[in-house]
Amino acid sequence: MIDVLRVLSKHAFFLWLSGFREACSLHRAFFFCKRSRKLAIRTGQCFILNGLIFLGSILLLNSVIKPILFSILPHDCRQLSSSVPCDFQRTLKLYAFLRSLLIEIFYVLWFYPLYLFSFIISSLWYNDIAQQAFLVMEDTSHAKEHPSGSSTSTTAFVDKREGFEGFVIGLAEQIYSVLLLIFFFIEVSLVGLLPYIGVPAKFILLSWMYSYYCFEYKWNLADFGCKERLELFHTNWAFFAGFGSPCALAIFFFSPLVSGGVMAILFPLFVLSATGTQERQLILSHGKMMGSREPVKIPVFYAVDILATWTLRHFFSATSHGKSDDKAH
């Protein structure tokens, strides 16, 4: 029994280490950007929007605006004047209120709209980045298979689903993936509130969440079904925990607003790392260490999978009933 646990632990550790190493292969971004001009432009736009503008605004607030406000509206009565007694607490409270009000106005009129705009635009750009990287990978694989150049280069992504039924299936899978990540994020937030174990458990769950999110773009483009993804994820949880660890580590010690900006900058690089990762081949090569033993599965998304599936079925059931009622009338 001890020998079995030792082998399983060793296998899990090497899988985690392999995933961590793949996530840190950020140099792949240079390879992709060199092969695709559009990808290079999109990646640069993410850096400008989320790094220069968004994080730059936070730096401007903390380094320039707040010090100016504290000089104009001081928090210490000794800064007012040597002739002003230090019992003017009402004046200091008024200054504190005005400082908070002005900073809050700055957040409402600039930071929150910019954060929302950055989130929406970056999500669209991430999809473009993943698609262009996927095309580069396809072109590279075709070039290796046909070194003479006789094969036709892929110039546009073609969806493998055809017809109305394929459209419905694709739409259902997209909604399912969104629901899965939303419910899992709620689960992560709730687990983080637990005493003692909340922080380490939250880090592990965040690692899995970001790992799934990074690979999801590639799996969508490769027409890899949702159930197959979860089976791969649950069977090889250690690899994906390792891949997501640098993502979670990059934002774990920042405030929510700053961590959002940092992740928005780094996320395209992790998506490119995931696109360039041959995860199934790596997992198979590490699986030889296990011999004939079955890997230990951890149903990471079990609860949210049930909840997302139920929500999706309820949604489509309500939609079909609504259409039936309209026809009856």
Side-chain angles (χ1 to χ4, degrees):
M1 182 65 180
I2 296 177
D3 292 337
V4 173
L5 290 176
R6 186 183 295 113
V7 172
L8 291 175
S9 300
K10 183 179 179 181
H11 178 62
F13 172 75
F14 279 107
L15 269 180
W16 183 93
L17 194 63
S18 178
F20 188 90
R21 184 172 59 249
E22 289 298 314
C24 292
S25 301
L26 302 180
H27 61 277
R28 290 173 180 163
F30 294 100
F31 164 77
F32 285 115
C33 291
K34 185 179 179 181
R35 290 296 193 90
S36 173
R37 185 172 181 272
K38 184 178 180 180
L39 191 152
I41 292 173
R42 284 286 183 261
T43 305
Q45 287 172 330
C46 284
F47 275 92
I48 292 173
L49 176 61
N50 299 298
L52 187 62
I53 299 178
F54 185 76
L55 290 181
S57 298
I58 297 178
L59 181 64
L60 178 68
L61 174 66
N62 293 328
S63 302
V64 178
I65 296 177
K66 283 186 177 180
I68 290 175
L69 287 178
F70 273 97
S71 64
I72 298 174
L73 303 170
H75 66 285
D76 192 340
C77 63
R78 288 172 294 183
Q79 297 177 263
L80 293 172
S81 174
S82 57
S83 60
V84 178
C86 280
D87 57 353
F88 276 37
Q89 295 300 322
R90 292 184 179 179
T91 303
L92 296 178
K93 289 181 179 179
L94 176 62
Y95 286 172
F97 171 76
L98 291 175
R99 284 197 311 270
S100 301
L101 179 63
L102 291 172
I103 292 174
E104 193 62 33
I105 290 174
F106 189 82
Y107 271 90
V108 171
L109 296 182
W110 179 249
F111 272 125
Y112 297 143
L114 180 61
Y115 182 83
L116 181 61
F117 174 78
S118 170
F119 178 81
I120 296 173
I121 297 299
S122 296
S123 298
L124 298 175
W125 288 346
Y126 296 155
N127 188 66
D128 284 345
I129 290 171
Q131 185 170 323
Q132 293 301 316
F134 187 80
L135 294 177
V136 169
M137 290 296 295
E138 280 197 333
D139 289 341
T140 303
S141 63
H142 280 304
K144 290 181 179 179
E145 293 173 3
H146 305 277
S148 62
S150 58
S151 62
T152 304
S153 176
T154 305
T155 57
F157 175 72
V158 180
D159 197 343
K160 298 178 181 179
R161 303 184 183 95
E162 296 179 353
F164 180 74
E165 183 178 355
F167 170 77
V168 173
I169 294 174
L171 178 63
E173 287 190 350
Q174 290 296 322
I175 297 174
Y176 169 83
S177 295
V178 172
L179 290 174
L180 189 79
L181 289 172
I182 289 175
F183 292 144
F184 195 75
F185 180 76
I186 295 173
E187 180 182 332
V188 170
S189 302
L190 294 176
V191 168
L193 299 176
L194 296 175
Y196 304 112
I197 64 170
V199 173
K202 182 179 179 179
F203 180 84
I204 295 172
L205 292 177
L206 275 176
S207 300
W208 278 325
M209 186 183 75
Y210 282 121
S211 180
Y212 185 91
Y213 195 20
C214 289
F215 279 95
E216 185 188 29
Y217 291 96
K218 173 183 176 180
W219 290 338
N220 281 336
L221 294 169
D223 202 22
F224 193 37
C226 293
K227 296 303 178 183
E228 289 80 6
R229 301 177 197 178
L230 294 185
E231 178 66 21
L232 178 66
F233 209 97
H234 292 165
T235 306
N236 305 282
W237 50 269
F239 175 85
F240 292 106
F243 190 95
S245 293
C247 310
L249 192 64
I251 66 166
F252 203 70
F253 301 102
F254 297 107
S255 65
L257 206 59
V258 175
S259 64
V262 172
M263 193 61 204
I265 295 174
L266 297 177
F267 188 70
L269 304 181
F270 289 123
V271 170
L272 293 176
S273 294
T275 305
T277 298
Q278 302 296 326
E279 68 277 5
R280 280 177 274 191
Q281 285 84 345
L282 285 170
I283 289 168
L284 283 174
S285 65
H286 283 285
K288 294 178 181 178
M289 295 172 53
M290 295 290 294
S292 60
R293 295 188 181 91
E294 288 290 329
V296 177
K297 293 184 181 180
I298 294 183
V300 178
F301 294 101
Y302 178 77
V304 293
D305 174 41
I306 293 176
L307 191 56
T309 303
W310 178 86
T311 305
L312 194 62
R313 287 176 180 172
H314 184 74
F315 171 77
F316 278 101
S317 176
T319 303
S320 61
H321 282 309
K323 290 181 178 179
S324 300
D325 293 339
D326 291 340
K327 289 180 179 179
H329 288 296

